Amino acid sequence: MSAIIYRTQKVGDVDVFYRETGPIDAPVILLLHGFPASSHMFRDLMPALADRYRLIAPDLPGFGLTTAPSRGQFTYSFETLAHVIGGFVDAIGLPRYALYIFDYGAPVGLRLAMANPERITAIVTQNGNAYMEGLSAGWEPWQAYWREPTPAHREATRASLSDEAIRFQYEHGSPAGCVSPDGSMLNTFYMHRPDAYEIQLDLILSYGSNVALYPDFQSYLRQHRPPVLAVWGKNDPFFLPPGAEAYRRDVPDTELHLLDTGHFALETHHREIATLMRDFLGRKLDAA
């Protein structure tokens, strides 16, 4: 079993923390986490695939152990996150890679794919949405903030950042007693750092730019037809199964699997997801 190595790569004014495992000359999988997590969410998946793939999981700016300038000196938006991760990919020298996109990692990864489609060998989307039908009614407070970015609407989205909301994201829809508390407690720790709430509120506002790009993401998928594996926690209260099914509209041979778990599917089903990825990538990358 390959050891996981922990490194930092400087990208402009950002020190990107990342974890890596697997043979240096193996096909690469770039794993992009979501809110409110970090690369820690891939701690179980990465060793399960490291015999065959080189896996690289960075922490996005504003998350985990990646360090970035303060809000007054750095714009916390999804455009900026994608710019930093694009710079990270260049800095560590990844000419081609498969994407694992989850939650916030989906719009970041799809921005990278649109910018350099020739680099993308495959996409694994695990509750990584790119379609309006994937958004649940729970998004309404955020959508109100996008429509009218007033202080009152900003404050109304703050409830999404609470300790209780983070724990809910991990546990809702997951098999009872099967979710370790470590992940949500670590996220809560990060959320209590100075300025973390305001950074996340900035990103909540910026998330509207991702929804505006959905037609562009879909156009990329239709035009370039990357191999797509959609693995979805079907009980996710935020990103609904129709969002997974919609990938077939643009990539008809998308392989779809709905798992009986919640938003953070890796917390309960990392073995199943690793098995599906091994089969899918083995067929698609070998055929490329």
Side-chain angles (χ1 to χ4, degrees), residues 43-223:
R43 65 197 180 280
D44 295 321
L45 180 68
M46 293 176 72
L49 295 170
D51 62 315
R52 190 166 181 179
Y53 300 100
R54 180 186 176 195
L55 299 109
I56 299 170
D59 289 354
L60 301 174
F63 297 85
L65 296 173
T66 288
T67 58
S70 65
R71 290 175 66 234
Q73 301 171 304
F74 185 85
T75 300
Y76 284 91
S77 69
F78 280 86
E79 180 180 4
T80 303
L81 298 190
H83 177 75
V84 170
I85 298 304
F88 167 78
V89 165
D90 290 340
I92 65 172
L94 302 182
R96 285 173 61 78
Y97 52 89
L99 279 169
Y100 186 112
I101 54 175
F102 165 73
D103 190 84
Y104 276 19
V108 173
L110 290 171
R111 277 175 163 85
L112 298 185
M114 286 197 308
N116 296 107
E118 74 284 354
R119 292 187 174 188
I120 307 304
T121 58
I123 295 176
V124 179
T125 173
Q126 185 253 297
N127 299 72
N129 193 56
Y131 297 87
M132 289 301 299
E133 50 264 65
L135 299 178
S136 74
W139 285 82
E140 177 51 34
W142 290 31
Q143 291 173 325
Y145 186 27
W146 307 337
R147 291 191 298 265
E148 295 182 68
T150 64
H153 283 153
R154 182 179 178 93
E155 191 61 28
T157 66
R158 191 179 294 269
S160 303
L161 311 178
S162 69
D163 297 356
E164 294 77 13
I166 292 173
R167 187 166 60 251
F168 173 85
Q169 286 194 50
Y170 273 82
E171 296 179 356
H172 180 84
S174 301
C178 293
V179 177
S180 168
D182 300 341
S184 62
M185 291 181 70
L186 179 61
N187 295 168
T188 298
F189 168 79
Y190 287 141
M191 193 62 70
H192 284 270
R193 293 181 297 185
D195 222 22
Y197 282 98
E198 299 308 314
I199 286 171
Q200 293 303 325
L201 291 172
D202 289 349
L203 288 172
I204 287 174
L205 178 59
S206 178
Y207 199 92
S209 70
N210 301 327
V211 177
L213 281 176
Y214 279 1
D216 296 317
F217 294 160
Q218 295 158 19
S219 178
Y220 155 76
L221 293 166
R222 281 194 305 276
Q223 180 180 352

Side-chain angles (χ1 to χ4, degrees), residues 218-249:
Q218 295 158 19
S219 178
Y220 155 76
L221 293 166
R222 281 194 305 276
Q223 180 180 352
H224 295 281
R225 296 287 180 89
V228 175
L229 171 65
V231 183
W232 223 261
K234 68 179 182 179
N235 307 321
D236 189 338
F238 310 106
F239 294 123
L240 305 175
E245 296 160 1
Y247 277 91
R248 286 179 166 166
R249 211 162 51 225

